[in-house]
Every structure is written in C-alpha cells, then in structure tokens.
Amino acid sequence: MKGKSPSITNKLWSCSAVLAILLFWQVITGTGMIDAFLLPSPLQVIKAFITEFPTLMEHSVITLSEAFVGLGLGIFLGFLMAVAMDQFEPLYQALYPLVILTQTVPTVAIAPLLVLWFGYEMTPKVILIVITTFFPITIGLLTGFRSSDPDAVSLLRAMGAGKRQIFFYIKLPGAMDPFFSGLRISASYAVVGAVISEWLGGFGGLGVYMTRVKKAFSFDKMFAVILLISIISLILMNGVEILQWLFMPWKRIKNDK
C-alpha cells in the first residue's frame, strides 16, 4: 500500500493537468477567442470522434497491422544487432555509428523515397516503421548488455561458463529493464511512423483518413484522429508494462516487498 499512494497522487495530478488544459481549450474556443474552423472545441472533437467511430475503426485496423508488423521486425532486427554488436567488438565499432546515423535522417525525408521505390502498399510503411523502432530496442539492449556486473561475469567464467551461459544467465536478464524501456518508446513510434508513411499515399489507414479530412477542412475530424492515435499509443505502452510485469518476475517480487 505504501507504494500505491504516491502512484495514485501522481495520476491525480496528471488528470488534473489534462482537465485544466481541456477546460482552457473549451473556454477560448467557446467564447470565440479562436474561430472554430481554426481550432475546434473539445466537445466538437468528441462529437466527431463518436460520429466517425466506425470509419476510424476501419482505418485503425490497417494502421495497426502496419505498426505491429513493423514493430515485430524492428524488435527482431534490434535484438540481432544488439547481440551481434555485444559479442563482437569490431562489429560494434563498425555498426554503432551507422545505427546512430539512421536516426539523424528525418523520416519525412525517407518516406517519399520508400513510396517511390516500393509503391503504395504495406511494404514502404513497414520499412519506415522498422527504421524508427529498431533503434530504441538496439540501444536499450546494448546498454543492458554492457552494464552487466563484471564480478558476476568473472564468477561464472571461473566456474567454467562459456559466452552462451554468461549471456543467458547474466547479460540477458540484466538487459530486460532497458529493453522494455526502449520497447515502450518503439511501440508509440510504430503507430506514429505508420501514420506518417500513410500521409504520402495509400489506400487506407489513419494517415490517409487524416489527409482526406484535412483537405476538406474538417479539423474536428482531424483532431478526432489525433485523439485516437494518442489513445492507441497509450494502450500499447500500457501493454508493454504488462509484458514487463509478466516477463520480469524478480522485479515483481522486489516491488511487493
């Protein structure tokens, strides 16, 4: 119970801040300080969200399909790269600058090229999501691998353990915390990356729908899409926390004490 009270208090403060922002937003739009065609009120956004909910769900299925495929491949690629770079120092020296370099190029600049090369189907969108999601996974795992307790590693080596045993008994469990931290970031990046890639063309998805309503100046519907993207991202991040709770029982036991 001691650990729950600060958590509840923090959530109350967060909810209060969000409610204050929404109230201020409603006041400045409801009183005419900002025209509705420039900034719809929260009530208009909620009304559009309810009205367009079936359509939003149809498009969200496409976006989530792209996001999950891209995130899965990003996790796989990030894990392989992190393990390879940890096991072979020359590979680390060669690939680490390239991994950093992939994050210096804006995704908006890469997306048109991917559409030009691979068309308007799912492939360019998945590639863009992989580019944006593998980096937090790779860096998180590498940080965990390289922060392993040297005394524990030396003890296992003295007992005759090889690289495989050291990896599975010391490095991998120690890297779980930074891995899940990176996964939370990648989960939100996956949805945002899918939407950005859909802006440049496609036959469905939240990004395509957002582009259509923006051209029609239906900004209440556009804000409804933004609201849905935020909700999906929060759900995915909470899902990662649940996975962390399931796959890290030692941390669960520690928190219960």
Side-chain angles (χ1 to χ4, degrees):
M1 292 299 293
K2 290 182 180 179
K4 290 183 179 179
S5 297
S7 179
I8 294 172
T9 303
N10 292 337
K11 288 180 180 179
L12 285 174
W13 279 111
S14 301
C15 292
S16 299
V18 172
L19 288 174
I21 293 171
L22 291 176
L23 181 61
F24 177 73
W25 180 4
Q26 183 64 41
V27 169
I28 62 174
T29 53
T31 56
M33 295 175 62
I34 298 179
D35 293 329
F37 71 89
L38 291 175
L39 180 66
S41 69
L43 292 177
Q44 289 176 312
V45 173
I46 292 173
K47 183 180 178 182
F49 184 84
I50 295 172
T51 304
E52 296 293 312
F53 188 76
T55 304
L56 290 173
M57 289 298 101
E58 290 179 11
H59 287 284
S60 65
V61 170
I62 299 172
T63 300
L64 284 174
S65 299
E66 297 163 353
F68 281 128
V69 172
L71 179 60
L73 292 174
I75 293 171
F76 180 73
L77 177 63
F79 184 83
L80 286 183
M81 289 190 68
V83 172
M85 291 163 69
D86 177 68
Q87 296 294 319
F88 305 101
E89 186 63 25
L91 200 60
Y92 173 83
Q93 297 295 335
L95 292 182
Y96 190 80
L98 296 177
V99 172
I100 300 297
L101 186 63
T102 60
Q103 304 307 300
T104 62
V105 181
T107 54
V108 178
I110 300 174
L113 294 175
L114 294 177
V115 171
L116 179 65
W117 294 336
F118 299 102
Y120 292 99
E121 298 293 339
M122 184 182 286
T123 302
K125 300 171 179 62
V126 170
I127 293 173
L128 185 67
I129 295 166
V130 171
I131 292 172
T132 56
T133 57
F134 90 96
F135 178 77
I137 303 296
T138 305
I139 297 301
L141 285 170
L142 269 177
T143 301
F145 293 157
R146 293 187 166 246
S147 60
S148 301
D149 186 355
D151 293 333
V153 174
S154 298
L155 178 61
L156 279 186
R157 282 177 179 163
M159 297 171 65
K163 283 188 175 182
R164 182 177 299 179
Q165 287 81 6
I166 292 172
F167 176 78
F168 282 106
Y169 289 107
I170 299 293
K171 291 191 172 185
L172 188 59
M176 285 296 96
D177 212 2
F179 165 72
F180 280 108
S181 297
L183 185 56
R184 276 192 289 271
I185 298 171
S186 294
S188 60
Y189 279 6
V191 179
V192 175
V195 172
I196 291 174
S197 63
E198 289 168 351
W199 284 348
L200 298 170
F203 307 103
L206 293 174
V208 174
Y209 177 80
M210 184 183 286
T211 303
R212 291 173 184 170
V213 297
K214 184 183 71 172
K215 290 179 179 179
F217 296 99
S218 300
F219 293 121
D220 55 341
K221 296 178 181 177
M222 192 173 76
F223 272 90
V225 179
I226 296 172
L227 175 61
L228 179 59
I229 293 170
S230 299
I231 292 172
I232 291 172
S233 297
L234 289 173
I235 291 173
L236 290 177
M237 292 175 71
N238 286 327
V240 172
E241 290 184 2
I242 294 172
L243 287 176
Q244 184 176 10
W245 184 82
L246 292 172
F247 284 95
M248 296 181 65
W250 58 90
K251 189 173 182 179
R252 194 162 69 236
I253 294 170
K254 183 179 178 181
N255 291 336
D256 290 339
K257 289 183 178 180

